[in-house]
Amino acid sequence: MTNPLSTTQFLHGGDYNPDQWLDQPAVIDNDFELFKSAKLNTITVGIFSWAKLEPSEGHYNFGWLDDIFDRAAAQNMQVILSTPSGARPRWLAAKYSEVLRVDENGHRNEFGERHNHCYTSPIYRKKVQLINRKLAERYGQRDNLILWHVSNEYGGQCYCDLCQAAFRDWLKAKYQTLTQLNHAYWNGFWAHAYTDWQQIQAPNPHGDQNVMGLNLDWKRFVTDRTIDFFETEIKPFRELTPNIPVTTNFMGGNPPESHVFYDLDYQKFATHVDIVSWDSYPNWANGYESTAKLAMKTALMNDMMRSLKQDNYLIMENTPSQVNWHPYNRAKRPGMHEMASLQEIAHGADSIMYFQLHQSRGASEMFHGAVITNNLSDQTRVFKDVTTVGADLEAMQAIHATTHRIAEVAIVFDYDNMWALDDARNYANATKQYWVTIQNQYQYFWEHDIPVDVVGTDVDLAAYKLVIDPMHFMMSKGFAAKLKTYVAQGGTLVGTYITGLVDSNFLAYQGSWLPDLQATYGLAVTETDTYYPGQHNQIKAFGNTYESRDYSDILTISDAEVLGTYGQDFYAGSAALTKHVLGQGTAYYLAGRGESALHHDFYQRVATKLQLKSMLPIKKETSNVSIQIRENATMRYYFVINFSHQATQIQFATKLMNVLHGNQNVQGKQSLAAYGVQIFSEKK
């Protein structure tokens, strides 16, 4: 696919808030000088600037923003212009109280914080669209405007009467009749049947929170309502600046090193943006896992974002050092910023952008990392780290016109399934860990430099040699049939415990396991055993014994081949890992949650059979080194990154060129420093 941005260079810059320094123009003068020194080429402006752009209703002040555009143009900097809707001005909330959100307890919020606005409010939508139109009219033809950054980190929900009414309309459109709605929610239970649409309220602590279908539909509605608001925001841009692409910055989860963002369905949202951008804040140098383990988790998040549109994406925010909102706000170690930045470029990012360029003097993010800290110096370690990344991006300019290597492996991830599994009143809340399970399935491929896509249920699976579908608790009959067809036509599928239990209405399937799943895997699941902390089982396979924990599906085998068995409990000796040939393909089922050694040994056999192993001209000594590939029709680039605090050796099977060192030829052996990054190229 083609990157919609007009620029031909990697973006290097970030959020800049000169409106905080308008009374000190010398500060802004100094900032732009330091931008040059740090090799920054892009600024993002306008986030949370509504009160400066429109200090009172209908009275606008664009002079300061005109000046910033002019300054940027004077030193060949590009501008990403943000809409200010993430934080409304006080005058707006004071005059129109409906724009403020109502919490789940029915209390309207006071003015404060950010994102404290109702997505349904007609007044808020009108005011947002008006300020956005003013921005489009004034800056839409600026030569250095390259992208609209719409709002900031959408999220949250509102329970006001307007949103409740919109939710009822959404349900009416989906179910048509109360009879169908009551059936979908199984409202005969606890005598919950609705007799009037007006009786429906969003899930809340003083009403219903135990109607599974209602809970799930509310989450779906929140995504759809947020997207609807986004479409309202961008209407002036589509009309007045059709050639300027739009994005909004998606987020990783919280804590960012272990979760995908929970509130919104990004797979659905991504179809409404021109380019995916996201905010990446791994807690590097934490005290509880290796740098390589965190790098694997971060790689997965990058692959998730790249997969949303099967295209390059942007890092809209990261920190040059520490943040101020982690439980422990540790700075990156020397070399880590370059390591972390080029990892994201390696996975398909076309930018390294920071929050923030100039550190705030006060308020909640005054200690958040920044390129220019409050000592206003270009001699800090952090400033020098940023400059190093800027130099790297300039040296690797030719790589901009490349994409991440095409993947032959896909992992299925589904937001409805995540929400439903999390809300299921079964298993164990602490150990469901859907995203962690995906990380565990991903780890082998990352360690062996095999690219992976993270895909939704609507994707054509035929493009992949291997599809991994873990913990697919909520599965439609249509997707079960899709998996069966994929395998029968030659695909290889891996499924796991807790799969195929409920339909898309959160109603349990009746009778035996879904017929298409039985046909695909050659078995039926009859029971799932949940373990308490400290309890475990064993899976005996491949001549080894592996520990298993948390969950074990108990199987009835029809015609699957048993590759591994349980070692303990009343189902000792029964199937724990199976293989089934269907048509031209093969389906495997991992019935128990095994340790990483089981995943390694299992996927090594699958990868060998499918010839998935990357044929790289670079040999590494440890899995702490990752090798990712970006390429185009004529060139291939190898990003070699050492996610370890110790130096290691890499060996070249052929002569390559070192991109970061003047395209010098390299061969034989070379040392890779702790947290070291090198990029090598070859012609195809």
Side-chain angles (χ1 to χ4, degrees):
M1 298 180 69
T2 302
N3 191 320
L5 287 174
S6 58
T7 180
T8 58
Q9 60 185 332
F10 287 105
L11 307 185
H12 190 220
D15 288 8
Y16 184 48
N17 301 101
D19 42 310
Q20 298 176 16
W21 307 97
L22 295 181
D23 61 340
Q24 300 178 59
V27 171
I28 299 175
D29 291 341
N30 188 58
D31 285 344
F32 273 87
E33 288 301 315
L34 293 179
F35 293 165
K36 282 190 284 189
S37 298
K39 299 183 181 298
L40 305 184
N41 58 34
T42 306
I43 52 174
T44 300
V45 293
I47 295 178
F48 310 136
S49 297
W50 199 336
K52 281 290 195 294
L53 293 169
E54 190 179 3
S56 61
E57 186 173 15
H59 296 89
Y60 301 97
N61 174 21
F62 294 114
W64 66 272
L65 189 53
D66 294 345
D67 177 61
I68 296 303
F69 264 91
D70 292 343
R71 287 173 181 265
Q75 57 189 61
N76 297 316
M77 295 189 77
Q78 300 160 124
V79 176
I80 298 172
L81 184 54
S82 296
T83 69
S85 63
R88 78 249 54 83
R90 285 186 184 272
W91 63 259
L92 180 56
K95 185 173 181 179
Y96 307 104
S97 61
E98 75 166 49
V99 307
L100 297 174
R101 286 181 183 171
V102 171
D103 68 21
E104 62 181 359
N105 293 305
H107 302 137
R108 189 173 296 279
N109 295 345
E110 297 182 7
F111 178 87
E113 305 303 329
R114 57 179 185 172
H115 299 297
N116 178 17
H117 49 262
C118 171
Y119 290 136
T120 302
S121 164
I123 291 173
Y124 197 64
R125 288 176 172 230
K126 178 181 177 181
K127 292 297 185 181
V128 166
Q129 200 172 92
L130 180 57
I131 188 68
N132 290 359
R133 182 171 293 277
K134 294 287 186 182
L135 293 172
E137 289 172 344
R138 193 173 189 94
Y139 302 106
Q141 303 307 314
R142 286 273 189 160
D143 290 338
N144 57 342
L145 175 66
I146 61 168
L147 181 67
W148 291 109
H149 179 326
V150 181
S151 194
N152 182 70
E153 296 182 338
Y154 280 109
Q157 44 207 314
C158 176
Y159 295 80
C160 73
D161 290 343
L162 294 169
C163 288
Q164 300 282 5
F167 182 43
R168 294 184 198 105
D169 289 342
W170 186 93
L171 292 171
K172 287 177 186 178
K174 179 175 181 178
Y175 294 105
Q176 301 296 310
T177 68
L178 283 174
T179 298
Q180 293 188 78
L181 174 61
N182 282 323
H183 179 271
Y185 288 0
W186 210 246
N187 273 341
F189 185 75
W190 285 354
H192 270 40
Y194 298 115
T195 58
D196 190 290
W197 290 100
Q198 293 302 117
Q199 296 167 350
I200 301 172
Q201 295 288 325
N204 68 85
H206 305 291
D208 279 325
Q209 287 189 312
N210 284 290
V211 178
M212 307 293 98
L214 176 69
N215 295 346
L216 182 58
D217 271 346
W218 175 251
K219 292 185 181 300
R220 291 163 169 161
F221 164 77
V222 169
T223 287
D224 286 351
R225 202 66 188 155
T226 305
I227 292 172
D228 187 72
F229 181 84
F230 171 83
E231 286 290 342
T232 298
E233 275 224 56
I234 68 174
K235 188 175 179 180
F237 305 144
R238 296 303 195 202
E239 176 188 338
L240 299 174
T241 61
N243 296 323
I244 304 296
V246 298
T247 191
T248 187
N249 46 336
F250 294 162
M251 290 181 280
N254 190 15
E257 75 278 7
S258 60
H259 290 82
V260 71
F261 185 64
Y262 189 81
D263 287 4
L264 301 174
D265 183 341
Y266 282 161
Q267 290 168 334
K268 180 178 286 189
F269 207 151
T271 64
H272 295 262
V273 301
D274 295 322
I275 186 169
V276 168
S277 63
W278 78 288
D279 300 346
S280 178
Y281 289 107
N283 56 342
W284 296 109
N286 67 57
Y288 54 85
E289 65 186 344
S290 69
T291 298
K293 185 67 176 289
L294 180 53
M296 179 273 292
K297 295 176 180 179
T298 307
L300 174 59
M301 278 302 306
N302 278 278
D303 285 344
M304 167 75 181
M305 294 297 169
R306 175 181 49 77
S307 300
L308 288 174
K309 294 184 82 70
Q310 289 298 326
D311 204 351
N312 292 1
Y313 56 95
L314 302 177
I315 298 297
M316 190 59 76
E317 290 183 21
N318 85 116
T319 177
S321 183
Q322 73 226 45
V323 298
N324 72 323
W325 46 269
H326 283 170
Y328 303 91
N329 297 296
R330 197 176 194 205
K332 294 175 181 175
R333 306 293 92 185
M336 275 191 167
H337 181 58
E338 182 182 30
M339 172 200 78
S341 298
L342 296 195
Q343 180 192 26
E344 296 184 302
I345 298 293
H347 282 263
D350 277 347
S351 71
I352 297 297
M353 304 283 283
Y354 306 107
F355 181 85
Q356 48 195 325
L357 295 190
H358 187 126
Q359 199 165 36
S360 177
R361 189 176 181 186
S364 67
E365 293 180 306
M366 62 190 291
F367 294 119
H368 192 292
V371 177
I372 304 168
T373 60
N374 283 317
N375 67 14
L376 308 180
S377 172
D378 61 358
Q379 296 303 305
T380 64
R381 180 174 67 88
V382 171
F383 190 93
K384 293 176 180 178
D385 285 348
V386 168
T387 305
T388 296
V389 170
D392 288 347
L393 296 177
E394 289 181 356
M396 50 193 273
Q397 179 59 38
I399 302 178
H400 182 267
T402 63
T403 57
H404 190 266
R405 180 185 170 199
I406 294 174
E408 296 179 313
V409 179
I411 298 178
V412 177
F413 169 74
D414 180 66
Y415 279 90
D416 280 1
N417 181 59
M418 176 177 67
W419 293 329
L421 180 59
D422 185 60
D423 200 31
R425 311 305 157 87
N426 195 8
Y427 316 116
N429 289 337
T431 59
K432 290 175 186 174
Q433 298 180 331
Y434 178 46
W435 186 251
V436 174
T437 301
I438 288 175
Q439 290 173 341
N440 293 338
Q441 303 296 319
Y442 174 86
Q443 182 170 348
Y444 173 87
F445 302 96
W446 182 79
E447 290 179 345
H448 290 82
D449 309 312
I450 299 170
V452 175
D453 286 345
V454 182
V455 302
T457 57
D458 59 341
V459 169
D460 182 6
L461 302 178
Y464 301 100
K465 288 184 178 180
L466 173 64
V467 171
I468 303 167
D469 186 30
M471 294 186 77
H472 207 144
F473 167 76
M474 173 174 279
M475 182 186 292
S476 69
K477 289 182 179 179
F479 190 70
K482 186 174 183 176
L483 292 177
K484 179 183 174 183
T485 299
Y486 165 74
V487 174
Q489 293 179 349
T492 298
L493 173 68
V494 177
T496 79
Y497 46 90
I498 310 182
T499 284
L501 278 298
V502 299
D503 66 15
S504 58
N505 288 324
F506 219 136
L507 294 178
Y509 285 115
Q510 299 297 287
S512 189
W513 210 31
L514 282 173
D516 280 333
L517 292 183
Q518 292 187 55
T520 299
Y521 291 108
L523 54 86
V525 178
T526 59
E527 188 178 353
T528 300
D529 194 10
T530 299
Y531 302 129
Y532 281 86
Q535 295 179 333
H536 64 275
N537 205 316
Q538 296 173 334
I539 295 177
K540 298 180 178 180
F542 315 128
N544 297 313
T545 299
Y546 308 93
E547 183 177 297
S548 64
R549 65 191 188 283
D550 299 337
Y551 302 108
S552 293
D553 276 356
I554 301 168
L555 311 178
T556 298
I557 301 299
S558 51
D559 54 351
E561 176 186 353
V562 177
L563 300 181
T565 58
Y566 290 115
Q568 298 175 357
D569 222 306
F570 66 89
Y571 43 92
S574 68
L577 172 61
T578 65
K579 171 184 177 182
H580 182 236
V581 175
L582 176 67
Q584 301 174 58
T586 305
Y588 297 91
Y589 195 78
L590 289 165
R593 179 175 282 175
E595 61 180 303
S596 60
L598 172 62
H599 293 144
H600 177 276
D601 293 351
F602 168 66
Y603 282 120
Q604 187 172 58
R605 286 164 170 79
V606 173
T608 299
K609 177 184 176 183
L610 297 177
Q611 298 182 318
L612 292 174
K613 185 167 179 58
S614 298
M615 302 301 293
L616 299 172
I618 305 167
K619 184 177 180 181
K620 62 187 187 181
E621 296 180 342
T622 170
S623 62
N624 291 336
V625 172
S626 171
I627 304 174
Q628 297 292 320
I629 299 174
R630 287 181 62 147
E631 59 188 357
N632 56 25
T634 60
M635 295 293 296
R636 184 174 289 121
Y637 298 90
Y638 303 95
F639 288 72
V640 185
I641 308 178
N642 182 14
F643 295 103
S644 170
H645 63 279
Q646 295 180 336
T648 187
Q649 295 284 318
I650 53 176
Q651 185 168 351
F652 302 94
T654 186
K655 187 182 294 185
L656 302 175
M657 293 186 294
N658 191 321
V659 174
L660 298 182
H661 293 275
N663 288 315
Q664 295 176 355
N665 289 329
V666 292
Q667 55 188 337
K669 280 190 174 183
Q670 186 175 99
S671 179
L672 191 61
Y675 314 133
V677 185
Q678 293 295 337
I679 304 172
F680 305 101
S681 68
E682 66 176 351
K683 292 183 179 179
K684 285 186 172 180

